Amino acid sequence: MDLLQLKDKNIVVMGVANERSIAWGVAKKLLEVGANVIFTYRKERSKGKIEKVLADYTEYNTDVVQCDVNSDESIANAFNEIGEKYGVIHGLVHSVAFANAEDLHNRFVETTRDGYAFAQDTSAYSLVAVAKAARPYMSEGASIVTMTYLGAERVLDGYNVMGVAKAALEASTRYLAYDLGAEGIRVNAISAGAIRTLAAKGVPSFNTILHQIEEKSPLKRNVTSDEVANMTMVMLSNLSSGVTGEIIYVDSGYNIMG
Ligand code: NAD
């Protein structure tokens, strides 16, 4: 029995930088169940990387569209292009975040106005902006899933301005869920455990965080991007039809520990 029922559904996946990206873990599973996956990328260089990871997926239904979440024009162009081509968007995976390196390395108190605003714009407001652009095409109801991290609610050394951006992202998830719920659009966030990706390289304390999870989490190990992708599939599918506005932890249970 096909419990997920994502076959032939049009799902936008934002944030594949390479084969280690959390978004790629999700995209692979979506392709395997027969969804049409529309990838978005920020720069030409990332487009090449997506095309490279898709080399083994020529038989599948994929598309690649440019979308820089710092630009309203780029977002509008991307979703108009997707909307005109596909008519309906059934799901959206927002797996995008960025902060200036110095704002992760310096003391938090040294965060600049520009650095703070840039992290918020890229990592939190972008969810609102893409929900707004995708909404006209979400006429059959839809599921939006974003990626967050425990640093939104706890202080994690070196996560700094990104923790503040994730707090805003989680609040935005709840407000969007409320605002869009009557239209049948669900909005949830997955709070993923630490996974070695390009973005994680920017967090100076990343190795320490990995060790702490191994030591202290109930499962005594780190999670894989496969496990995050599995939960994302559930959140995109009708299996989670009664769930919206939630932060779902896929972190070996680390968040419950004192
Ligand atoms: P990643 O570097 O593979 O993905 C981040 C993506 O954001 C990249 O594809 C990058 O191109 C994209 N991006 C950045 N600025 C953009 C912009 N202006 N426009 C469009 N795209 C832009 O790293 P990842 O770890 O897969 O990160 C994906 C998400 O998961 C992020 O939100 C991250 O904070 C979150 N997350 C990661 C971890 C972890 O340990 N890796 C844990 C919890 C949450």
Side-chain angles (χ1 to χ4, degrees):
M1 190 168 51
D2 176 14
L3 285 173
L4 292 172
Q5 295 187 357
L6 288 167
K7 188 170 171 358
D8 298 327
K9 295 283 164 29
N10 304 322
I11 315 286
V12 180
V13 174
M14 314 186 74
V16 176
N18 56 36
E19 70 288 343
R20 283 178 174 263
S21 296
I22 290 175
W24 174 239
V26 180
K28 270 192 301 190
K29 288 186 189 280
L30 284 168
L31 291 172
E32 279 157 20
V33 300
N36 305 317
V37 181
I38 304 113
F39 293 85
T40 70
Y41 65 92
R42 177 171 52 153
K43 289 186 184 161
E44 278 310 305
R45 206 166 39 127
S46 327
K47 185 186 183 189
K49 292 243 172 85
I50 294 176
E51 285 169 347
K52 203 172 145 201
V53 294
L54 284 177
D56 293 336
Y57 288 82
T58 47
E59 310 287 298
Y60 294 77
N61 295 322
T62 62
D63 219 334
V64 187
V65 174
Q66 200 266 337
C67 183
D68 179 349
V69 300
N70 292 128
S71 157
D72 282 335
E73 193 190 346
S74 177
I75 293 172
N77 288 343
F79 282 90
N80 288 340
E81 184 182 334
I82 295 166
E84 273 170 29
K85 187 161 175 188
Y86 291 88
V88 177
I89 297 174
H90 301 100
L92 189 154
V93 179
H94 172 276
S95 189
V96 168
F98 200 77
N100 292 329
E102 61 266 29
D103 290 319
L104 301 175
H105 286 95
N106 291 345
R107 290 180 56 178
F108 179 65
V109 70
E110 302 293 344
T111 308
T112 61
R113 189 182 295 275
D114 282 353
Y116 190 101
F118 180 60
Q120 288 282 335
D121 187 65
T122 315
S123 315
Y125 177 69
S126 60
L127 178 70
V128 183
V130 299
K132 184 177 165 188
R135 184 180 153 246
Y137 306 105
M138 292 183 157
S139 49
E140 296 180 5
S143 170
I144 300 176
V145 183
T146 186
M147 297 296 161
T148 186
Y149 184 56
L150 187 61
E153 54 190 293
R154 310 258 183 94
V155 173
L156 290 154
D157 188 33
Y159 204 60
N160 295 2
V161 73
M162 189 55 89
V164 181
K166 291 297 191 195
L169 179 72
E170 292 185 6
S172 301
T173 298
R174 289 185 284 270
Y175 277 94
L176 282 172
Y178 174 60
D179 202 15
L180 301 178
E183 298 169 27
I185 302 172
R186 300 185 293 112
V187 189
N188 290 287
I190 308 265
S191 187
I195 294 170
R196 216 177 273 286
T197 61
L198 202 60
K201 276 191 183 160
V203 180
S205 56
F206 190 74
N207 283 336
T208 315
I209 291 173
L210 283 177
H211 286 132
Q212 276 172 356
I213 296 170
E214 268 174 18
E215 247 173 58
K216 291 193 187 162
S217 69
L219 296 183
K220 301 281 179 253
R221 64 170 177 84
N222 283 287
V223 294
T224 62
S225 63
D226 209 44
E227 290 173 312
V228 174
N230 282 339
M231 183 54 83
T232 309
M233 293 292 281
V234 171
M235 298 317 294
L236 285 170
S237 81
N238 269 337
L239 287 180
S240 59
S241 56
V243 184
T244 194
E246 292 296 338
I247 314 299
I248 322 272
Y249 295 85
V250 183
D251 68 344
S252 300
Y254 184 69
N255 74 93
I256 67 169
M257 301 306 291

